[in-house]
């Protein structure tokens, strides 16, 4: 039986990866931020253990973790949104934490380290992103991700561990944070609220979380050491089309629901306003993944299209509504 450590496991990708590992018969140690409200959403399973800590304490966890592990997935990162992306001291600490994660992986006996990179490492470009695409990050978050990937690769080489860095594009799913386009739009529309957008001419690439988790699992198993992979759906569509699909899926799902009387006020389709907001400064207008390297090395190909993924995500959010999740309301 293989064993995996996952830091930052409570997001859309981490939760899907835990489920993937359970399905494959692996044991999982989910290393979570101390006191996180999302810990309660981690699957209760005999092969899943939860450890609460702070990101800055990764270097001391060897003393409290029992046994040896095979794969170390490092997703944990602070300051991923808003002004925190340019909080340079914070982003610098993230780099240090990534190096601590690599060293912890070695101490736990792991033979593979998989780090979560970002499309922010590239900056703005008008071409499909591949491992060979030049990198010109425009904010501290992207700069720190780039540095963390490069430095942790060297450290893993020194430690004798396989290192794989996956630059992840836009992933969505039932456990996504509330501030992403897909999640924020779904939550507003399911509550009958109005969702305002830019002209939505951006060409974008969205990948469902279960597909992302499967890709990361295959990368740990078959990815080549020292390589960078780009993870997305490989399909680019105008943002307007994604918004239309979200709106249609919400309307269709609500029409089929037999909503409990006490929850009716929480589930009714809202409205969409495209073109009501200006593009923000530095708006990325094109974002798409070239999956050639990833597919050649691991065999990964996406299986869930956007429309099906949105239906599954809606069901996950509705389950949260029925369970009284105030974040949804």
């Amino acid at each position: 039986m293989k064993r995996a450590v996952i830091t930052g496991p409570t997001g859309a990708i981490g939760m899907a990866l835990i489920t993937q590992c359970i399905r494959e018969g692996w044991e999982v140690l989910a290393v979570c931020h101390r006191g996180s409200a999302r810990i309660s959403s981690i699957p209760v399973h005999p092969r899943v253990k939860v450890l609460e800590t702070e990101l800055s304490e990764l270097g001391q966890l060897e003393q409290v973790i029992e046994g040896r592990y095979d794969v170390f997935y490092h997703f944990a990162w602070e300051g991923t949104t808003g002004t925190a992306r340019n909080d340079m001291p914070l982003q610098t600490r993230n780099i240090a934490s990534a190096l601590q994660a690599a060293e912890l992986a070695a101490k736990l006996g792991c033979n593979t380290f998989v780090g979560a990179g970002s499309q922010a490492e590239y900056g703005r470009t008008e071409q499909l992103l591949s491992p060979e695409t030049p990198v010109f990050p425009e904010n501290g978050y992207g700069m720190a991700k780039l540095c963390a990937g490069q430095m942790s690769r060297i450290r893993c080489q020194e430690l004798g561990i396989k290192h794989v860095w996956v630059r992840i594009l836009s992933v969505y799913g039932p456990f996504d944070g509330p501030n992403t386009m897909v999640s924020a739009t779904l939550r507003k529309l399911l509550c009958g609220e109005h969702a305002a957008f830019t002209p939505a001419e951006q060409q974008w690439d969205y990948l469902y979380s279960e597909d992302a988790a499967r890709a990361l699992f295959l990368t740990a198993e078959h990815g080549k050491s020292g390589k960078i992979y780009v993870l997305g759906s490989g399909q680019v569509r105008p943002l307007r089309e994604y918004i239309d699909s979200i709106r249609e899926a919400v309307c269709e799902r609500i029409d089929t629901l037999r909503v409990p009387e006490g929850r009716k006020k929480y589930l009714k389709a809202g409205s969409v306003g495209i073109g009501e907001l200006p593009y923000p400064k530095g708006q990325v207008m094109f974002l798409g993944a070239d999956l050639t390297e990833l597919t050649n090395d691991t065999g990964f190909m996406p299986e869930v299209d956007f429309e099906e993924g949105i239906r599954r995500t809606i069901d996950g959010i509705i389950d949260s509504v029925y369970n009284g999740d105030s974040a949804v309301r």
Side-chain angles (χ1 to χ4, degrees), residues 20-322:
Q20 178 77 28
C21 288
I22 292 172
R23 188 181 300 121
E24 299 288 342
W26 287 31
E27 287 187 4
V28 174
L29 176 63
V31 180
C32 304
H33 176 66
R34 187 176 290 117
S36 171
R38 290 186 168 198
I39 291 175
S40 60
S41 298
I42 292 176
V44 177
H45 192 278
R47 292 200 304 273
V48 177
K49 296 181 181 178
V50 175
L51 175 61
E52 296 186 54
T53 187
E54 301 295 337
L55 192 54
S56 60
E57 298 172 356
L58 287 180
Q60 295 134 26
L61 293 188
E62 178 197 11
Q63 304 168 19
V64 297
I65 297 177
E66 297 180 356
R68 297 174 64 85
Y69 285 78
D70 301 282
V71 179
F72 196 109
Y73 291 97
H74 184 54
F75 300 153
W77 197 274
E78 294 181 309
T80 59
T81 60
T83 59
R85 290 168 74 92
N86 277 323
D87 183 336
M88 301 309 180
L90 174 61
Q91 297 301 339
T92 301
R93 291 196 295 273
N94 281 318
I95 299 170
S97 295
L99 292 173
Q100 288 182 1
E103 290 166 5
L104 176 60
K107 292 175 182 177
L108 295 178
C110 295
N111 54 49
T112 301
F113 179 92
V114 180
S118 169
Q119 86 272 2
E121 297 176 52
Y122 292 105
R124 283 174 285 178
T125 182
E126 296 299 321
Q127 65 186 62
L128 291 176
L129 300 176
S130 75
E132 290 75 36
T133 303
V135 287
F136 296 102
E138 297 183 348
N139 56 51
Y141 170 74
M143 296 169 189
K145 282 285 188 179
L146 177 61
C147 186
Q150 294 171 332
M151 295 181 73
S152 62
R153 180 173 66 249
I154 292 174
R155 188 66 183 118
C156 282
Q157 289 171 349
E158 295 171 342
L159 295 166
I161 302 174
K162 181 172 86 170
H163 178 280
V164 181
W165 192 255
V166 184
R167 290 175 178 158
I168 302 171
L169 274 61
S170 298
V171 173
Y172 68 97
F175 295 97
D176 201 2
N179 297 320
T180 65
M181 189 284 287
V182 171
S183 181
T185 301
L186 283 174
R187 290 164 188 268
K188 284 184 178 180
L189 296 185
L190 286 168
C191 295
E193 299 175 4
H194 181 71
F197 297 93
T198 67
E201 299 162 317
Q202 302 97 309
Q203 299 287 319
W204 221 256
D205 180 324
Y206 278 103
L207 181 68
Y208 186 56
S209 56
E210 288 185 15
D211 274 337
R214 186 166 51 83
L216 288 159
F217 186 87
L218 290 171
T219 298
E221 290 282 87
H222 306 294
K224 296 181 179 179
S225 185
K227 291 194 71 170
I228 294 168
Y229 296 102
V230 181
L231 179 57
S233 70
Q235 301 293 319
V236 178
R237 296 164 56 181
L239 191 61
R240 178 186 292 264
E241 290 187 11
Y242 291 114
I243 296 169
D244 288 343
S245 293
I246 290 172
R247 167 68 177 166
E248 290 173 8
V250 168
C251 291
E252 290 174 3
R253 190 68 183 93
I254 287 178
D255 286 345
T256 66
L257 284 174
R258 301 177 66 180
V259 184
E261 188 65 32
R263 295 291 183 187
K264 285 186 177 179
K265 64 180 179 179
Y266 298 134
L267 293 168
K268 54 184 178 181
S271 57
V272 167
I274 294 178
E276 296 180 355
L277 300 176
Y279 288 119
K281 182 180 179 181
Q283 173 67 59
V284 175
M285 296 301 295
F286 184 89
L287 185 64
D290 180 344
L291 301 182
T292 303
E293 288 288 315
L294 181 62
T295 300
N296 287 345
D297 289 352
T298 71
F300 170 75
M301 286 293 292
E303 296 179 353
V304 181
D305 65 23
F306 187 75
E307 283 68 27
E308 173 60 25
I310 285 299
R311 286 192 286 269
R312 297 184 189 182
T313 304
I314 289 172
D315 286 344
I317 293 176
I318 288 173
D319 286 343
S320 296
V321 172
Y322 285 168

